[in-house]
Amino acid sequence: MTFFRRPSVRWFLAVVLAVYLLFSPLLAVFEMGWPDVLKLLPLSAAVFGCCVWVLLGRDERRNTWLLAATLTGGFVLNAISDFSGMGFVYFVVFTAPFRTRFWPAVLLVTADIAGTAALSFLVGLRDWEVWGNILGLTYATVVIFLIRHVRTTREHATALAEARAGEAVLAERARLAREVHDILAHSQSAQIVHLEGARLLLEQGGDPAAALDRVNRAVRLARAGLEETRRALDALRGQELPLAERLERLAVEFRSVTGAPCAVSVAGDLGSLEAGARLAVARTAQEALTNVRKHAPGAAVSVALRRAGAWCELEVRDTGGPPGPPASREGGYGLVGMRERAELIGGSLAARPGAEGFEVLLRVPA
């Protein structure tokens, strides 16, 4: 289609169309002679002007009336001299489907074929000429409406593709928002805890070494958060770490910050996991460990990743730590975000109090 949008091609087609429209009136010169043809020139020029106006105009309602005038002028010219207005008659067939709405175009083309057939019989054309006109116009109508259908279908497909692209952009924005939440919730919440502890120690005249230790831990968390941000950007670029290594790094970070044990076990072939599933597993493990630090400080944690048939399961369990209301961990924004992430890729997430503490079970398609 881009070939026909070139200026040189469009000018060539415009010249061919002009010659085609003028051919029939000029042909009448040889049949009728100049004196009679001069009488047709004003009408031919007026009808030709309507054709040009249709090509230049975008108003579909006005184009409908201009094409009706063009068709009427073509019929009059054909009545005066056989075939002298056929160029305008065919012009209506070729342009009506593209310059007017669908039903006005159907009415114009139907009137075109029916009027040409009736006029051909009235002026006494031979049978083969009559049927030649009818078949020619009918064939042209079928072809042009097929072209219109193809163009309309392509426009609808383009609009649908643009709509889907817009939805993909919105989905990507939502995913990035979840990424930002996960990273901030994981790193900054722990930093706040340590910095708040250091502030209280200093205000109450506590051990400066303990306060310094808190500050150092907050610094390490800030660096870990920066590293996690870099890993998230690498994942977006397709340069993410293997899933087992990511879980182990989270466990090392958890042990260094809390001093509590955190065991990681990986079983089964997880190489077929899609990027969305891998990201959901990593973020869920990260959020679950963050919740343990916030709601059950000092609790031991076990992180188990396994293949279970067509599913991949991530289970994070803790021993509970100091007593507290388990329900406070079930309705947090972090768990809501994890559940939404799982459901987006056809998985599920269950978070509930366990035998000793709290457990989170994520299932994603494998």
Side-chain angles (χ1 to χ4, degrees):
M1 295 299 292
T2 55
F3 173 78
F4 293 99
R5 295 177 183 174
R6 297 178 182 177
S8 57
V9 175
R10 298 183 72 173
W11 274 108
F12 173 77
L13 294 176
V15 172
V16 170
L17 177 61
V19 172
Y20 181 72
L21 292 176
L22 294 174
F23 176 76
S24 294
L26 292 176
L27 182 63
V29 173
F30 300 97
E31 296 181 355
M32 301 174 60
W34 278 105
D36 292 329
V37 169
L38 290 177
K39 300 177 182 179
L40 300 180
L41 287 181
L43 177 59
S44 299
V47 178
F48 185 78
C50 290
C51 296
V52 174
W53 199 352
V54 167
L55 294 176
L56 297 178
R58 296 286 183 180
D59 189 332
E60 294 179 336
R61 184 175 181 180
R62 182 181 63 192
N63 285 342
T64 301
W65 290 108
L66 289 172
L67 288 171
T70 301
L71 183 59
T72 303
F75 286 159
V76 172
L77 290 171
N78 281 338
I80 296 174
S81 175
D82 295 342
F83 306 111
S84 61
M86 288 303 295
F88 299 118
V89 171
Y90 273 94
F91 177 85
V92 173
V93 171
F94 286 127
T95 57
F98 300 103
R99 290 295 177 175
T100 64
R101 297 185 182 275
F102 177 77
W103 287 113
V106 171
L107 292 175
L108 282 169
V109 172
T110 303
D112 194 331
I113 298 175
T116 300
L119 185 62
S120 298
F121 283 113
L122 290 175
V123 298
L125 293 180
R126 288 167 290 187
D127 289 344
W128 67 270
E129 292 176 324
V130 174
W131 288 109
N133 288 336
I134 295 174
L135 292 177
L137 288 172
T138 303
Y139 174 78
T141 299
V142 172
V143 171
I144 207 66
F145 271 97
L146 285 176
I147 294 174
R148 182 188 185 277
H149 175 71
V150 170
R151 192 186 76 165
T152 303
T153 303
R154 181 175 297 177
E155 290 175 352
H156 289 169
T158 301
L160 181 60
E162 292 176 352
R164 289 178 175 173
E167 292 176 358
V169 169
L170 292 178
E172 181 66 13
R173 289 177 180 175
R175 188 173 73 85
L176 291 176
R178 288 192 298 273
E179 291 297 304
V180 171
H181 166 268
D182 292 343
I183 293 174
L184 294 179
H186 178 67
S187 62
Q188 293 190 357
S189 61
Q191 293 177 48
I192 292 173
V193 169
H194 288 299
L195 292 175
E196 183 67 18
R199 183 183 66 83
L200 291 174
L201 286 172
L202 294 175
E203 286 181 351
Q204 297 172 4
D207 184 6
L212 179 61
D213 180 65
R214 294 273 187 171
V215 173
N216 288 333
R217 290 190 181 188
V219 171
R220 288 196 297 269
L221 283 170
R223 290 174 178 170
L226 178 60
E227 181 63 25
E228 183 63 27
T229 302
R230 290 173 178 169
R231 285 201 296 267
L233 293 176
D234 290 340
L236 292 176
R237 299 189 189 103
Q239 302 172 351
E240 59 180 320
L241 292 173
L243 193 54
E245 185 176 346
R246 297 183 72 178
L247 294 180
E248 189 58 45
R249 287 194 178 190
L250 290 173
V252 170
E253 181 183 343
F254 179 86
R255 290 192 292 265
S256 65
V257 171
T258 65
C262 180
V264 176
S265 64
V266 178
D269 181 15
L270 303 174
S272 60
L273 278 181
E274 296 184 354
R278 295 195 302 269
L279 189 60
V281 169
R283 289 290 177 252
T284 299
Q286 183 183 64
E287 185 67 33
L289 293 176
T290 299
N291 284 344
V292 173
R293 288 208 306 263
K294 290 168 57 178
H295 299 285
V301 183
S302 65
V303 179
L305 181 64
R306 54 184 175 266
R307 178 74 177 265
W311 297 91
C312 172
E313 294 182 349
L314 172 72
E315 187 176 38
V316 181
R317 291 186 176 186
D318 64 72
T319 58
S328 64
R329 298 171 60 177
E330 296 182 54
Y333 290 111
L335 291 178
V336 173
M338 288 191 288
R339 186 171 289 108
E340 290 177 351
R341 184 189 295 277
E343 291 173 353
L344 282 174
I345 59 174
S348 63
L349 182 136
R352 56 185 178 270
E356 297 181 359
F358 199 81
E359 58 185 46
V360 175
L361 178 63
L362 170 73
R363 301 181 79 236
V364 295

